[in-house]
Amino acid sequence: MATRLAFASILGLLLPFVLFPAPQAQGANADNFDPGYIISDAEFYDWDSMNSAEVQDFFEDINPRCVPGPDGTPCLQDYREDTPNTPARSGCTAHVGKDGELASKVVYDVAVECGINPQVFIVLLQKEQGLVTASGSLLNAQRYERATGLSCPDGPDGQPICDPEHGGFYKQVRGAGERYNAYRDRPDIYKNYRPGQTWNILYHPDRTCGTGEVYIENMATTLLYTYTPYQPNEAALDNLYGTGDDCSSYGNRNFWRNYVDWFGNPTSDDCIATNECDFYLANDWTTSNARLGVLITDAPTGTPISGTWDVGTRESVGVRHGQDLFLKTDHTTGPADIHYKYGRVGDEVFVGDWNGDGIDTPAVRRGNTWYLTNIPGAAYADIVFHYGRENDTVLIGDWNGDGIDTPAVRRGKTIYQSNDFSGGNAEHEYMYGRETDEVVVGDWNGNGEKTLGVRRGFTYYLKNTTTGGNADIVMNYGRANDFVVVGDWDNNGTDTLGVYRP
């Protein structure tokens, strides 16, 4: 539920939606509801948890006896809408408009474009308008017009006043995805409920109902409260599938309850909960708490790497052990999604996008000779060149924003950057940090160009330009003995930190 800044329609907030038939046995237990950790980041951003056919099957299976509304308004599984071309914005990629797109395909498209779990949108549709289980007289055109409650702030009479610019099913779903990403990426505007802090959160729009202190543990929970800035009171939790009292609100309660009933535990970051992850990843610069955890179950301890390993996947992590690369294409627990060999045991290995195709592949260096391959799993090098000296520290990055990674080397405090693979003299030289610093590379501000940072203990000093001088970002993260990885884990264009603890 969102105003033009935060709030939305009052319907999903104040109605428990017990008027719709229960699609499954009631499985959620209110004792497990944690107001500060409603859904994990890993679950929230699991954008490929379902494909469009699986979303369609879910809509049909969850409401098999649905009949259209009295005015002919179709059931969700049958709803179609022409979708417009939409430019990339707010962390979502561009959408190519389609005629007669099914609601399930809209949900899937937006999930992929905005990098958000389609299950989040399914639960949001139920939380706001009850669309997933609505049938017969409960179906009308207005429910689709206000599908996610976006830009429907409460009016003086308590009824929603919706912005027609955001009206319609596609605009509501896509707009919710954009809004979630904006909440995450614009702390200068959306300042409340940021993770790692305790907030006094209202129980109800009537402020006389009071507030309760909530420590917000992660970004995904921040987004839910920014969208719906109320927590359930004890009465709402005591009657989890019904109504509470006059001070009860139900938005975030129902989000959590329906998620548990339909998709299981939304906070099941098992490796984080048990402190058994290989990798702990952060998605922003406002908290030092990791909520993305990766455990590669078949990878032995080795050298951590990060990259985009396959078409259509997010940047993730991997481990090199000997000649073997064990690569994950998501942020979950499980065996490597991609496994191949490259180079020799003992080679120094790096990864980068050497040809601008969006896929990171390995390189090895022997002395000052580099062997780069553009084909995952290839046994040979596509590019061989000489650069730097044998004892140089190697850095890899897209220094000029052309989409191709190239090498740089560091000697003492001086960095020598090249924008091609021709060898020879550096094209850019500068000094940054201290000789004993550990250097990290990333696009810290989302401008498409990689720059440096240095690490001293667990403090990072990051520059947004390839120049010396003072750091633009200073942040503490992890432990002094962690191995560091850097990546754009949520595909918002900005690199953030992760640590490897095998």
Side-chain angles (χ1 to χ4, degrees), residues 278-281 455 460 477-479 482-485 497-501:
D278 289 332
F279 294 88
Y280 298 84
L281 312 177
R455 179 192 186 210
Y460 295 80
Y477 189 69
R479 304 168 185 165
D482 285 331
F483 299 94
V484 182
V485 289
L497 298 175
V499 297
Y500 175 57
R501 294 176 188 160

Side-chain angles (χ1 to χ4, degrees), residues 82-206:
D82 296 342
T83 62
N85 292 329
T86 308
R89 62 191 178 210
S90 296
C92 300
T93 59
H95 176 78
V96 177
K98 304 174 184 68
D99 293 337
E101 193 166 4
L102 276 168
S104 56
K105 188 64 165 56
V106 170
V107 168
Y108 173 74
D109 284 350
V110 173
V112 174
E113 291 158 4
C114 297
I116 295 171
N117 193 333
Q119 296 167 354
V120 168
F121 292 110
I122 291 170
V123 172
L124 181 64
L125 293 170
Q126 182 71 6
K127 161 186 172 258
E128 292 292 339
Q129 295 294 329
L131 272 172
V132 178
T133 57
S135 178
S137 62
L138 298 175
L139 281 169
N140 56 62
Q142 187 179 82
R143 291 201 188 278
Y144 289 100
E145 193 73 11
R146 302 174 176 180
T148 67
L150 181 71
S151 293
C152 287
D154 305 333
D157 60 354
Q159 296 303 307
I161 304 172
C162 297
D163 183 351
E165 287 296 314
H166 292 91
F169 186 80
Y170 166 78
K171 289 183 178 180
Q172 284 280 294
V173 178
R174 168 75 183 209
E178 292 181 2
R179 196 65 60 88
Y180 280 138
N181 286 345
Y183 294 158
R184 177 194 65 206
D185 298 336
R186 296 299 306 273
D188 55 322
I189 298 175
Y190 305 103
K191 300 178 180 180
N192 292 334
Y193 316 116
R194 306 310 287 188
Q197 302 177 57
T198 298
W199 298 89
N200 289 310
I201 298 181
L202 290 163
Y203 291 110
H204 192 275
D206 182 349

